[in-house]
């Protein structure tokens, strides 16, 4: 078991980095925003939202079936995640430098689309 996981150490480290950065970026937006209530949630939810979409797609894909019908809501939710990123530009009231964190969110959104789509369809590379 350990020998098998040692061969995949870079994949494991990438996934841990993906999760840690996604959570850290959402927390950064949460703590640096001056809005209250729903606007604060909208401004800071994007990274965790993308992470949850990937997790749900992987959970559904783990049941060894194909869920091609779920691709439509999955893609719509990915679009809403992109909208959440756009709304963070509009409503965030802290330092504008924090928006550089979206340099991580854009590749994360693409990665979620790629891996989540393969998981739901069962068509892995």
């Amino acid at each position: 078991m350990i020998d098998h996981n040692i061969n995949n150490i870079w994949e494991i480290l990438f996934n841990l980095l993906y999760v840690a950065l996604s959570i850290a970026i959402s927390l950064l937006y949460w703590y640096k925003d001056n809005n209250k209530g729903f606007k604060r949630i909208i401004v800071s939810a994007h990274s965790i939202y993308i992470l949850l979409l990937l997790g749900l797609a992987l959970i559904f894909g783990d049941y060894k079936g194909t869920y091609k019908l779920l691709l439509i809501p999955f893609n719509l939710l990915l679009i809403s995640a992109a909208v959440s990123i756009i709304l963070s530009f509009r409503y965030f009231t802290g330092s504008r430098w924090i928006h550089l964190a979206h340099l991580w969110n854009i590749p994360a959104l693409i990665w979620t689309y790629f891996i989540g789509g393969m998981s739901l369809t069962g068509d892995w590379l």
Side-chain angles (χ1 to χ4, degrees):
M1 171 101 174
I2 293 174
D3 293 337
H4 176 71
N5 289 332
I6 293 296
N7 292 334
N8 296 328
I9 193 72
W10 294 113
E11 183 179 343
I12 293 168
L13 290 175
F14 174 79
N15 288 320
L16 290 173
L17 179 68
Y18 178 86
V19 170
L21 278 175
S22 294
I23 292 170
I25 289 170
S26 279
L27 288 176
L28 177 69
Y29 270 87
W30 178 265
Y31 287 118
K32 296 294 183 178
D33 188 43
N34 297 323
N35 286 313
K36 302 287 184 211
F38 190 67
K39 272 190 182 178
R40 191 172 191 183
I41 293 170
I42 292 294
V43 164
S44 62
H46 39 70
S47 297
I48 291 179
Y49 186 41
I50 294 168
L51 182 64
L52 288 173
L53 284 174
L54 179 60
L56 287 172
L58 290 173
I59 288 170
F60 275 104
D62 194 39
Y63 289 113
K64 307 294 185 236
T66 59
Y67 299 95
K68 291 183 181 181
L69 289 176
L70 291 178
L71 281 177
I72 294 170
F74 177 72
N75 288 330
L76 290 173
L77 289 171
L78 281 173
I79 291 169
S80 69
V83 169
S84 176
I85 292 171
I86 293 167
L87 289 175
S88 75
F89 280 104
R90 170 77 171 101
Y91 293 115
F92 183 71
T93 58
S95 171
R96 297 293 177 193
W97 287 101
I98 292 177
H99 292 311
L100 289 174
H102 288 308
L103 292 174
W104 166 256
N105 281 334
I106 301 305
L109 191 63
I110 294 167
W111 181 256
T112 299
Y113 171 75
F114 182 66
I115 299 298
M118 286 192 300
S119 178
L120 290 175
T121 61
D123 294 334
W124 292 94
L125 293 178

